[in-house]
Amino acid sequence: ALTVVFDKATKEIPNKYIRALALDANGELMIGTFTGVARYDGSQAEVLVDFTKDGFSEIRLTTLSVALDGSVWAGTDKGLLTDANGDWKLYTTKDGLNTNYISALQVDLQGTVWVGGGGSNYAGGGIVYIVP
């Protein structure tokens, strides 16, 4: 059966446009929206970061991954955003990424963050990895 959880009128998550989904280690659904990330436990959503309210108003989410330790990694059109150190931080080419447009993202079982980047209208590209 098909069940609608959130629709275009929802106010529980940062944005109605869903860009990526991932599961955390507890099996809860991480929802990457155009302008933020929320956690859904099966009954309610908790906003983890809302770009428009938390100082990241210029970025848009492109992809999402969650590490086994619970840290969230969000690829954006302006860099790699994470809460791995307790506070949300945006990593860019100034920090060593080869592009600020993150198009693919995966955290492996050892916690290594694999970052793929670039797009047709953006400089850079390739893959880098981060060992937190």
Side-chain angles (χ1 to χ4, degrees):
L2 185 137
T3 303
V4 175
V5 177
F6 301 108
D7 63 19
K8 63 184 177 182
T10 187
K11 303 289 185 208
E12 293 179 73
I13 57 178
N15 194 289
K16 64 184 176 182
Y17 299 117
I18 309 303
R19 302 295 301 268
L21 300 171
L23 293 177
D24 69 11
N26 298 321
E28 292 183 346
L29 183 66
M30 304 300 286
I31 303 168
T33 74
F34 197 54
T35 59
V37 179
R39 177 186 292 118
Y40 180 66
D41 66 5
S43 61
Q44 64 183 24
E46 172 193 5
V47 175
L48 301 180
V49 63
D50 184 328
F51 300 165
T52 60
K53 296 177 182 174
D54 296 326
F56 303 105
S57 61
E58 299 299 316
I59 68 176
R60 301 293 175 255
L61 188 133
T62 55
T63 186
L64 181 71
S65 191
V66 183
L68 289 176
D69 69 2
S71 58
V72 177
W73 295 83
T76 78
D77 62 343
K78 302 285 191 292
L80 181 64
L81 185 67
T82 183
D83 68 348
N85 295 320
D87 292 318
W88 289 96
K89 178 177 175 22
L90 183 67
Y91 293 92
T92 67
T93 52
K94 293 177 184 175
D95 300 296
L97 295 178
N98 19 351
T99 180
N100 286 328
Y101 191 92
I102 309 304
S103 56
L105 185 61
Q106 182 66 46
V107 181
D108 69 21
L109 295 175
Q110 290 73 41
T112 302
V113 182
W114 295 88
V115 183
S120 61
N121 296 323
Y122 298 91
I127 296 176
V128 299
Y129 67 89
I130 302 166
V131 180

